[in-house]
Amino acid sequence: MDLSILNISFASIMPEILTTALAAVLLVVDFFLAPRNKSALGYLAIIGLLLILPVAAMTAGTTPTFGGTVIFDAFSAYFNVIFIIAAVFTIFISMDYLKKTGIQRGEYYHIILFATVGMMVMASANDLITLYVGLELMALSFYILVAFRVGSSRSVEGALKYFVLGALSSGILLYGISFAYGASGSTNFNEIAARLATTAGPFLLLGFILIIVGFGFKVAAFPFHVWAPDVYEGAPTPITALLSIGSKAAALAVFLRLFMVAFPAFHVQWAGILWMVAAATMIFGSVVAISQKNMVRMLAYSSIAHAGIILIGFIVYNDLGTGGVLYYMLVYLFMNMGAFVIVTHLRSDAGGVRKWELVSDYRGLASSRPVLALLMALFLFSLAGIPPTGGFAAKFFVLSAAVSAKYYWLAAIGVVSTVISLFFYARVVFYMFMKEPEAGIEVPKPGVCYSVVLFCTAVGTVLLGIYPTPFIDMAIKAVKPFFM
């Protein structure tokens, strides 16, 4: 066999190789560290990821490698940057969190790196089998991370629900993949597109539905969202942040590539299904979030509503709409991570006493920690889509693309969802600035790690709002090849 036809190129998978090697190094170093020094692994992971970041950003080509199963282009490079930044932020805030909660263990850091590798594999997958391998690597890592607080019944309950429903959704996705393979006779995205051409039988349509259900679970779209509130609440809060950003971005990346490359001829069929899913997700997430008293559960339903708006860009099916998805995920990385950094810093149930769990617990925060309250308001206003934040630019980009493509009703539902979301975001701001703090409540001062991440996320949220053009251009350039 002529191996040259496989186009084996280790340079094309260098980000995965380096991240896996970094995880292996951490695993070895972990054996030689005393329990009190495990945070050194976090610093080592951050340094390694920051060195890998420029490699991931510059690793881009146009030709599939390893027999057409992997492709590293501007699209995968864009998402790899999001994954690495999200992992760096997560590890930064985890170091203080693990000490505070008493769950400081070295394996925490290398499992995060393995989850990141799974996300990278998903973003660069050009084959159904590669897609599934990356998905399972990410999912198995998150199952462990969600259950990391073994002494917490909420963590164990959330992990059990996530595992059971995750296994179910993976089985459904695999079943849908088998229908796609049966209809086309190939697992390669390009070959599937060439062989199916314009013929869509009932089994292929069933495959679309099953694949959408499988990915709908990963992005927490209605009605496949049932795991999200309990898992978000039970998991270690830094992992909740990574799960809400990294897992969602990875699922959207592979979802986009699969349907844009393998099934472009059937846009009408799968877009019709996604139209209903997106509309229901936006309305459900926004409405149910209003009744939430727990801060993390409120952010969980907020994440569901955002998933619906992101799906609008997918449905529009042009470079503006799809580029809007990529830009939205970049903005979402900064504003959602910023909000979770503050929640992580304040939230604690050490010793069985739960603090800063409820929205009402944030009352009077502005009088004791004004900078913290201002930053929280910035992130919440960005999530709500208030100008001049990055959230406004992202929503405007996606909704204007929907209007230009004549999806008027879908854009209108997106606007209604945004208006509804203003209520529950503004309620937190009201408690922080308009209510008096309870007597005897001590607000801890953020440490260096929290302060670094808060500064970066605040700058990113504002910069992406007041100067979005270069980032939007990068997003559009990354998806341009899909429409040539």
Side-chain angles (χ1 to χ4, degrees):
M1 179 180 179
D2 185 6
L3 294 180
S4 63
I5 63 174
L6 295 178
N7 190 22
I8 296 175
S9 171
F10 291 105
S12 67
I13 58 170
M14 192 54 64
E16 282 96 332
I17 292 174
L18 293 176
T19 308
T20 305
L22 178 61
V25 169
L26 261 64
L27 185 62
V28 173
V29 173
D30 185 22
F31 285 111
F32 300 97
L33 290 177
R36 65 178 181 277
N37 297 325
K38 296 298 184 182
S39 58
L41 295 173
Y43 290 110
L44 181 59
I46 290 169
I47 293 171
L49 287 173
L50 290 177
L51 293 174
I52 294 170
L53 182 59
V55 177
M58 293 185 292
T59 302
T62 57
T63 306
T65 58
F66 293 93
T69 60
V70 174
I71 180 167
F72 266 82
D73 50 13
F75 179 82
S76 60
Y78 187 98
F79 275 101
N80 283 347
V81 169
I82 291 178
F83 302 147
I84 291 175
I85 294 175
V88 168
F89 286 164
T90 301
I91 294 171
F92 251 124
I93 63 177
S94 292
M95 288 185 286
D96 283 346
Y97 177 85
L98 295 179
K99 290 179 182 178
K100 180 174 67 175
T101 53
I103 54 173
Q104 180 79 281
R105 294 196 296 275
E107 56 267 28
Y108 178 91
Y109 300 105
H110 25 90
I111 294 174
I112 287 180
L113 294 180
F114 283 125
T116 306
V117 173
M119 298 175 202
M120 291 178 173
V121 172
M122 290 173 68
S124 60
N126 195 51
D127 186 273
L128 294 173
I129 296 175
T130 307
L131 174 162
Y132 194 75
V133 169
L135 176 67
E136 286 305 297
L137 176 58
M138 180 191 73
L140 290 171
S141 300
F142 275 125
Y143 295 153
I144 299 170
L145 291 170
V146 170
F148 213 77
R149 296 166 60 202
V150 292
S152 169
S153 59
R154 290 191 299 176
S155 183
V156 175
E157 178 188 356
L160 183 60
K161 289 181 179 179
Y162 189 40
F163 174 74
V164 172
L165 294 175
L168 176 63
S169 70
S170 293
I172 292 172
L173 175 63
L174 192 59
Y175 200 35
I177 286 173
S178 69
F179 277 111
Y181 172 74
S184 63
S186 176
T187 58
N188 182 273
F189 292 175
N190 301 100
E191 292 181 7
I192 291 174
R195 294 182 185 183
L196 291 179
T198 57
T199 305
F203 288 107
L204 184 60
L205 183 60
L206 180 59
F208 289 157
I209 295 173
L210 294 174
I211 291 172
I212 289 172
V213 170
F215 282 119
F217 174 88
K218 300 303 178 185
V219 300
F222 179 86
F224 319 111
H225 66 283
V226 291
W227 60 275
D230 291 329
V231 172
Y232 280 33
E233 185 181 7
T237 317
I239 298 305
T240 300
L242 182 61
L243 188 63
S244 68
I245 297 165
S247 176
K248 192 186 298 293
L252 286 168
V254 71
F255 204 4
L256 282 167
R257 193 186 293 278
L258 173 60
F259 279 82
M260 298 292 181
V261 176
F263 306 123
F266 311 111
H267 170 248
V268 174
Q269 287 87 344
W270 53 258
I273 300 171
L274 286 177
W275 197 106
M276 295 182 288
V277 172
T281 301
M282 287 185 287
I283 295 298
F284 177 84
S286 298
V287 171
V288 177
I290 294 175
S291 63
Q292 301 305 308
K293 297 180 180 180
N294 183 286
M295 189 68 174
V296 174
R297 294 183 74 90
M298 186 270 283
L299 289 174
Y301 283 103
S302 163
S303 178
I304 293 170
H306 281 281
I309 295 177
I310 293 170
L311 287 176
I312 294 177
F314 189 94
I315 296 166
V316 170
Y317 196 67
N318 57 33
D319 55 350
L320 291 177
T322 311
V325 173
L326 271 64
Y327 179 71
Y328 203 113
M329 284 312 308
L330 181 62
V331 174
Y332 191 72
L333 162 65
F334 288 100
M335 61 186 182
N336 202 53
M337 180 62 74
F340 270 108
V341 169
I342 297 176
V343 172
T344 304
H345 167 59
L346 297 175
R347 190 183 183 210
S348 174
D349 59 359
V353 180
R354 297 178 182 178
K355 301 177 181 178
W356 299 93
E357 289 274 334
L358 306 178
V359 172
S360 58
D361 291 338
Y362 286 72
R363 62 192 306 137
L365 181 62
S367 63
S368 54
R369 298 288 179 203
V371 175
L372 212 57
L374 284 171
L375 289 174
M376 189 61 162
L378 169 66
F379 299 131
L380 292 176
F381 283 146
S382 185
L383 287 166
I386 302 296
T389 62
F392 170 78
K395 288 188 177 184
F396 180 81
F397 190 8
V398 170
L399 295 177
S400 61
V403 171
S404 64
K406 299 183 179 180
Y407 284 96
Y408 301 121
W409 277 105
L410 199 56
I413 295 172
V415 172
V416 171
S417 170
T418 299
V419 172
I420 296 173
S421 70
L422 287 173
F423 178 82
F424 56 83
Y425 291 129
R427 183 176 59 179
V428 181
V429 178
F430 174 78
Y431 273 105
M432 290 192 299
F433 287 91
M434 305 302 292
K435 293 283 189 177
E436 293 295 325
E438 293 184 11
I441 298 296
E442 181 181 354
V443 183
K445 184 179 180 180
V448 175
C449 293
Y450 287 117
S451 299
V452 169
V453 180
L454 280 173
F455 175 78
C456 293
T457 52
V459 170
T461 301
V462 174
L463 180 63
L464 289 167
I466 62 178
Y467 190 54
T469 305
F471 303 99
I472 291 175
D473 290 342
M474 283 191 293
I476 293 176
K477 182 179 178 181
V479 300
K480 204 79 172 178
F482 292 150
F483 303 98
M484 290 182 176

